[in-house]
Amino acid sequence: MRLVGPSGEQVGIVPLAKALELAQEYDLDLVEVAANARPPVCKLMDYGKFKYESAMKAREARKNQAHTVIKEMKLRPKIDPHDYDTKKGHVVRFLKQGDKVKITIMFRGREQSRPELGYRLLQRLAEDVQELGFIESNPKQDGRNMIMVLGPHKKKTEAMAEAREAQAARKAERQGGSSEAAQADAADAVAEAPVEQVSADTSAENAEA
């Protein structure tokens, strides 16, 4: 087999018995890392530590992995202003999180003969959130519905990183506030202590008089 040392150095081609002897000498494990190579490649390592570090790397990779998510928001052509602002707020939140948003206008009854109402509503929404997203798929009729897809300007990974930074900042601010409050309480206690002592001394003098 071709043996690799614990620091990545090439030991050379050695018999199995010699590799096992070196593993025992270094107090390490003999691990086959390339079984299909000719000759097979083995390495001297701490296998338990290797498995732990590999698991931590995989966990960190999953943590930073960005999954493309498509949120959906449904509106009516004659939606009232309050409901529109609420729906728009959800769209803004989705785009800030780096998610795509599928906007669906639902037509009912006679509304189906007025597709321009849905088109104007979609254009209005796209203009209202243009700082956060763009029209990825133009409005198109799909049976009784009209659909448009908005894409975020920020990538999912960027949005996730910003969210983590904001969370860390809020945590630090809370901890800082608690520390300042504790320091203020301590300062108040120090400031009040001499006053209490003077009062006690004055009482004693009055008693003696």
Side-chain angles (χ1 to χ4, degrees), residues 164-189:
R164 286 196 295 270
E165 290 176 1
Q167 184 179 6
R170 288 194 298 269
K171 182 177 180 181
E173 185 177 350
R174 288 196 300 269
Q175 292 176 345
S178 300
S179 177
E180 290 174 2
Q183 291 176 2
D185 291 342
D188 291 342

mmCIF file of all heavy atoms in Angstrom, residues 164-189:
data_model
loop_
_atom_site.group_PDB
_atom_site.id
_atom_site.type_symbol
_atom_site.label_atom_id
_atom_site.label_comp_id
_atom_site.label_asym_id
_atom_site.label_seq_id
_atom_site.Cartn_x
_atom_site.Cartn_y
_atom_site.Cartn_z
ATOM 1 N N ARG A 164 -28.223 36.999 10.511
ATOM 2 C CA ARG A 164 -27.381 36.533 11.627
ATOM 3 C C ARG A 164 -26.657 37.702 12.283
ATOM 4 O O ARG A 164 -26.528 37.766 13.507
ATOM 5 C CB ARG A 164 -26.383 35.479 11.133
ATOM 6 C CG ARG A 164 -27.002 34.125 10.857
ATOM 7 C CD ARG A 164 -25.935 33.051 10.763
ATOM 8 N NE ARG A 164 -25.052 33.271 9.631
ATOM 9 C CZ ARG A 164 -25.251 32.776 8.413
ATOM 10 N NH1 ARG A 164 -26.317 32.030 8.178
ATOM 11 N NH2 ARG A 164 -24.404 33.003 7.433
ATOM 12 N N GLU A 165 -26.161 38.653 11.467
ATOM 13 C CA GLU A 165 -25.465 39.813 12.010
ATOM 14 C C GLU A 165 -26.412 40.673 12.855
ATOM 15 O O GLU A 165 -26.037 41.151 13.927
ATOM 16 C CB GLU A 165 -24.871 40.653 10.869
ATOM 17 C CG GLU A 165 -23.699 39.980 10.159
ATOM 18 C CD GLU A 165 -23.208 40.788 8.994
ATOM 19 O OE1 GLU A 165 -23.768 41.884 8.742
ATOM 20 O OE2 GLU A 165 -22.264 40.350 8.302
ATOM 21 N N ALA A 166 -27.633 40.864 12.350
ATOM 22 C CA ALA A 166 -28.611 41.654 13.098
ATOM 23 C C ALA A 166 -28.963 40.983 14.421
ATOM 24 O O ALA A 166 -29.096 41.642 15.456
ATOM 25 C CB ALA A 166 -29.867 41.853 12.252
ATOM 26 N N GLN A 167 -29.092 39.661 14.397
ATOM 27 C CA GLN A 167 -29.400 38.923 15.614
ATOM 28 C C GLN A 167 -28.268 39.046 16.631
ATOM 29 O O GLN A 167 -28.506 39.236 17.829
ATOM 30 C CB GLN A 167 -29.649 37.455 15.287
ATOM 31 C CG GLN A 167 -30.073 36.612 16.476
ATOM 32 C CD GLN A 167 -30.333 35.159 16.083
ATOM 33 O OE1 GLN A 167 -30.093 34.762 14.959
ATOM 34 N NE2 GLN A 167 -30.840 34.381 17.016
ATOM 35 N N ALA A 168 -27.018 38.949 16.141
ATOM 36 C CA ALA A 168 -25.862 39.081 17.034
ATOM 37 C C ALA A 168 -25.792 40.493 17.614
ATOM 38 O O ALA A 168 -25.454 40.674 18.791
ATOM 39 C CB ALA A 168 -24.581 38.750 16.273
ATOM 40 N N ALA A 169 -26.118 41.500 16.789
ATOM 41 C CA ALA A 169 -26.089 42.885 17.267
ATOM 42 C C ALA A 169 -27.143 43.117 18.343
ATOM 43 O O ALA A 169 -26.880 43.785 19.349
ATOM 44 C CB ALA A 169 -26.306 43.841 16.099
ATOM 45 N N ARG A 170 -28.342 42.556 18.130
ATOM 46 C CA ARG A 170 -29.399 42.704 19.140
ATOM 47 C C ARG A 170 -29.012 42.023 20.450
ATOM 48 O O ARG A 170 -29.265 42.542 21.542
ATOM 49 C CB ARG A 170 -30.711 42.121 18.609
ATOM 50 C CG ARG A 170 -31.356 42.958 17.519
ATOM 51 C CD ARG A 170 -32.794 42.517 17.287
ATOM 52 N NE ARG A 170 -32.879 41.130 16.844
ATOM 53 C CZ ARG A 170 -32.873 40.767 15.558
ATOM 54 N NH1 ARG A 170 -32.774 41.684 14.606
ATOM 55 N NH2 ARG A 170 -32.969 39.492 15.226
ATOM 56 N N LYS A 171 -28.381 40.857 20.339
ATOM 57 C CA LYS A 171 -27.956 40.130 21.535
ATOM 58 C C LYS A 171 -26.893 40.918 22.296
ATOM 59 O O LYS A 171 -26.946 41.037 23.527
ATOM 60 C CB LYS A 171 -27.415 38.759 21.130
ATOM 61 C CG LYS A 171 -26.997 37.891 22.307
ATOM 62 C CD LYS A 171 -26.532 36.528 21.832
ATOM 63 C CE LYS A 171 -26.114 35.648 23.011
ATOM 64 N NZ LYS A 171 -25.632 34.324 22.552
ATOM 65 N N ALA A 172 -25.930 41.494 21.544
ATOM 66 C CA ALA A 172 -24.876 42.281 22.177
ATOM 67 C C ALA A 172 -25.453 43.534 22.830
ATOM 68 O O ALA A 172 -25.030 43.942 23.912
ATOM 69 C CB ALA A 172 -23.827 42.671 21.140
ATOM 70 N N GLU A 173 -26.445 44.123 22.181
ATOM 71 C CA GLU A 173 -27.078 45.320 22.734
ATOM 72 C C GLU A 173 -27.803 45.005 24.037
ATOM 73 O O GLU A 173 -27.732 45.769 24.995
ATOM 74 C CB GLU A 173 -28.057 45.896 21.704
ATOM 75 C CG GLU A 173 -28.679 47.217 22.144
ATOM 76 C CD GLU A 173 -29.592 47.801 21.083
ATOM 77 O OE1 GLU A 173 -29.583 47.275 19.956
ATOM 78 O OE2 GLU A 173 -30.296 48.775 21.386
ATOM 79 N N ARG A 174 -28.505 43.850 24.051
ATOM 80 C CA ARG A 174 -29.200 43.458 25.278
ATOM 81 C C ARG A 174 -28.211 43.204 26.413
ATOM 82 O O ARG A 174 -28.435 43.604 27.555
ATOM 83 C CB ARG A 174 -30.042 42.206 25.029
ATOM 84 C CG ARG A 174 -31.282 42.461 24.183
ATOM 85 C CD ARG A 174 -32.258 41.311 24.300
ATOM 86 N NE ARG A 174 -31.673 40.061 23.842
ATOM 87 C CZ ARG A 174 -31.763 39.621 22.588
ATOM 88 N NH1 ARG A 174 -32.405 40.340 21.681
ATOM 89 N NH2 ARG A 174 -31.229 38.461 22.239
ATOM 90 N N GLN A 175 -27.121 42.514 26.090
ATOM 91 C CA GLN A 175 -26.117 42.230 27.108
ATOM 92 C C GLN A 175 -25.461 43.512 27.600
ATOM 93 O O GLN A 175 -25.206 43.678 28.787
ATOM 94 C CB GLN A 175 -25.061 41.276 26.551
ATOM 95 C CG GLN A 175 -25.597 39.871 26.290
ATOM 96 C CD GLN A 175 -24.560 38.965 25.658
ATOM 97 O OE1 GLN A 175 -23.532 39.429 25.156
ATOM 98 N NE2 GLN A 175 -24.821 37.669 25.659
ATOM 99 N N GLY A 176 -25.205 44.454 26.654
ATOM 100 C CA GLY A 176 -24.608 45.731 27.030
ATOM 101 C C GLY A 176 -25.527 46.531 27.917
ATOM 102 O O GLY A 176 -25.100 47.166 28.889
ATOM 103 N N GLY A 177 -26.830 46.501 27.609
ATOM 104 C CA GLY A 177 -27.807 47.215 28.432
ATOM 105 C C GLY A 177 -27.862 46.667 29.839
ATOM 106 O O GLY A 177 -27.926 47.419 30.819
ATOM 107 N N SER A 178 -27.802 45.340 29.960
ATOM 108 C CA SER A 178 -27.820 44.715 31.282
ATOM 109 C C SER A 178 -26.580 45.093 32.077
ATOM 110 O O SER A 178 -26.640 45.366 33.277
ATOM 111 C CB SER A 178 -27.912 43.190 31.138
ATOM 112 O OG SER A 178 -29.090 42.832 30.456
ATOM 113 N N SER A 179 -25.416 45.136 31.389
ATOM 114 C CA SER A 179 -24.168 45.484 32.069
ATOM 115 C C SER A 179 -24.190 46.927 32.542
ATOM 116 O O SER A 179 -23.775 47.248 33.656
ATOM 117 C CB SER A 179 -22.991 45.262 31.114
ATOM 118 O OG SER A 179 -21.783 45.652 31.719
ATOM 119 N N GLU A 180 -24.713 47.832 31.697
ATOM 120 C CA GLU A 180 -24.781 49.241 32.066
ATOM 121 C C GLU A 180 -25.722 49.438 33.256
ATOM 122 O O GLU A 180 -25.451 50.236 34.149
ATOM 123 C CB GLU A 180 -25.251 50.062 30.871
ATOM 124 C CG GLU A 180 -24.209 50.138 29.754
ATOM 125 C CD GLU A 180 -24.751 50.844 28.525
ATOM 126 O OE1 GLU A 180 -25.918 51.304 28.583
ATOM 127 O OE2 GLU A 180 -24.025 50.960 27.532
ATOM 128 N N ALA A 181 -26.836 48.706 33.237
ATOM 129 C CA ALA A 181 -27.780 48.816 34.348
ATOM 130 C C ALA A 181 -27.140 48.358 35.654
ATOM 131 O O ALA A 181 -27.317 48.972 36.705
ATOM 132 C CB ALA A 181 -29.039 48.000 34.041
ATOM 133 N N ALA A 182 -26.377 47.253 35.569
ATOM 134 C CA ALA A 182 -25.713 46.736 36.770
ATOM 135 C C ALA A 182 -24.678 47.733 37.287
ATOM 136 O O ALA A 182 -24.557 47.959 38.500
ATOM 137 C CB ALA A 182 -25.050 45.392 36.457
ATOM 138 N N GLN A 183 -23.924 48.356 36.360
ATOM 139 C CA GLN A 183 -22.927 49.346 36.763
ATOM 140 C C GLN A 183 -23.589 50.559 37.400
ATOM 141 O O GLN A 183 -23.094 51.131 38.365
ATOM 142 C CB GLN A 183 -22.099 49.760 35.556
ATOM 143 C CG GLN A 183 -21.196 48.663 35.029
ATOM 144 C CD GLN A 183 -20.465 49.086 33.765
ATOM 145 O OE1 GLN A 183 -20.610 50.212 33.310
ATOM 146 N NE2 GLN A 183 -19.687 48.175 33.198
ATOM 147 N N ALA A 184 -24.733 50.969 36.831
ATOM 148 C CA ALA A 184 -25.455 52.113 37.378
ATOM 149 C C ALA A 184 -25.952 51.820 38.794
ATOM 150 O O ALA A 184 -25.873 52.657 39.694
ATOM 151 C CB ALA A 184 -26.630 52.477 36.465
ATOM 152 N N ASP A 185 -26.461 50.587 39.008
ATOM 153 C CA ASP A 185 -26.929 50.197 40.336
ATOM 154 C C ASP A 185 -25.786 50.207 41.345
ATOM 155 O O ASP A 185 -25.942 50.655 42.492
ATOM 156 C CB ASP A 185 -27.560 48.798 40.285
ATOM 157 C CG ASP A 185 -28.883 48.806 39.515
ATOM 158 O OD1 ASP A 185 -29.450 49.902 39.338
ATOM 159 O OD2 ASP A 185 -29.321 47.714 39.084
ATOM 160 N N ALA A 186 -24.619 49.717 40.877
ATOM 161 C CA ALA A 186 -23.461 49.694 41.774
ATOM 162 C C ALA A 186 -23.020 51.110 42.119
ATOM 163 O O ALA A 186 -22.673 51.416 43.266
ATOM 164 C CB ALA A 186 -22.309 48.923 41.124
ATOM 165 N N ALA A 187 -23.040 52.007 41.119
ATOM 166 C CA ALA A 187 -22.639 53.393 41.358
ATOM 167 C C ALA A 187 -23.598 54.069 42.327
ATOM 168 O O ALA A 187 -23.189 54.831 43.219
ATOM 169 C CB ALA A 187 -22.593 54.156 40.038
ATOM 170 N N ASP A 188 -24.898 53.798 42.187
ATOM 171 C CA ASP A 188 -25.889 54.372 43.094
ATOM 172 C C ASP A 188 -25.667 53.888 44.522
ATOM 173 O O ASP A 188 -25.791 54.657 45.491
ATOM 174 C CB ASP A 188 -27.305 54.001 42.646
ATOM 175 C CG ASP A 188 -27.683 54.708 41.348
ATOM 176 O OD1 ASP A 188 -27.014 55.705 41.008
ATOM 177 O OD2 ASP A 188 -28.630 54.236 40.682
ATOM 178 N N ALA A 189 -25.331 52.595 44.634
ATOM 179 C CA ALA A 189 -25.108 52.041 45.968
ATOM 180 C C ALA A 189 -23.903 52.691 46.636
ATOM 181 O O ALA A 189 -23.915 53.012 47.824
ATOM 182 C CB ALA A 189 -24.909 50.524 45.872
#
